[in-house]
């Protein structure tokens, strides 16, 4: 759970912690705060086959530490991702979409994409997850069941 001392909060700090929490929950299969079921992500295998978790730097709240992750996190730009894919091996990466804020709620939308062809800069969309968090007292919890989508 994410506890904050005041009802007023720093959006970047909250976003950074929630993004980290979502990734950690997906990789560990642990429930998000306010839920009982483990977080299951359909395209996790694409990310797990790599020696590190690649996260696109766009829409990422910084500084993003990737603390408590089961493997190291690499934050890369699109150019860096395509450079990594230039060896002929596709690179799976996480992308966060812009968060949606309303009152004391935030919606996170995260998906996995696959960079496979350096010449055409081809990106294949895989699956994603949408989660709504809301603040209860000083804690951020999931407001309703996460939804999954294919992109």
């Amino acid at each position: 759970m994410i506890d904050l001392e005041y009802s007023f909060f720093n959006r970047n700090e909250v976003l950074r912690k929630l993004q980290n929490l979502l990734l950690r929950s997906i990789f560990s299969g642990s429930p998000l705060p306010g839920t009982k079921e483990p977080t299951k992500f359909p395209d996790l295998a694409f990310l797990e086959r790599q020696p590190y978790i690649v996260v696109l730097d766009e829409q990422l709240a910084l500084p993003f530490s990737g603390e408590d992750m089961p493997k190291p996190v690499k934050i890369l730009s699109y150019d860096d991702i395509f450079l990594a894919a230039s060896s002929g091996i596709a690179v799976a990466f996480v992308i966060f979409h812009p968060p949606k804020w309303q009152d004391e709620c935030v919606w996170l939308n995260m998906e996995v994409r696959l960079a496979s062809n350096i010449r055409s800069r081809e990106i294949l969309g895989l699956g994603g997850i949408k989660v709504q968090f809301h603040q209860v007292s000083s804690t951020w919890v999931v407001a309703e069941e996460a939804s999954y989508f294919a992109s």
Side-chain angles (χ1 to χ4, degrees), residues 41-50:
F41 194 74
D43 293 317
L44 185 59
F46 286 96
L47 296 166
E48 287 182 325
R49 71 179 185 203
Q50 300 175 153

Side-chain angles (χ1 to χ4, degrees), residues 21-33 35-42 44 110 129 131 133 142 145-146 148:
L21 177 70
L22 181 57
L23 269 180
R24 189 172 57 246
S25 176
I26 288 169
F27 275 91
S28 68
S30 61
L32 289 164
T35 66
K36 294 179 183 170
E37 296 297 317
T39 305
K40 296 185 181 186
F41 194 74
L44 185 59
M110 185 204 93
I129 184 171
V131 182
F133 291 93
V142 174
E145 286 292 317
Y148 299 90

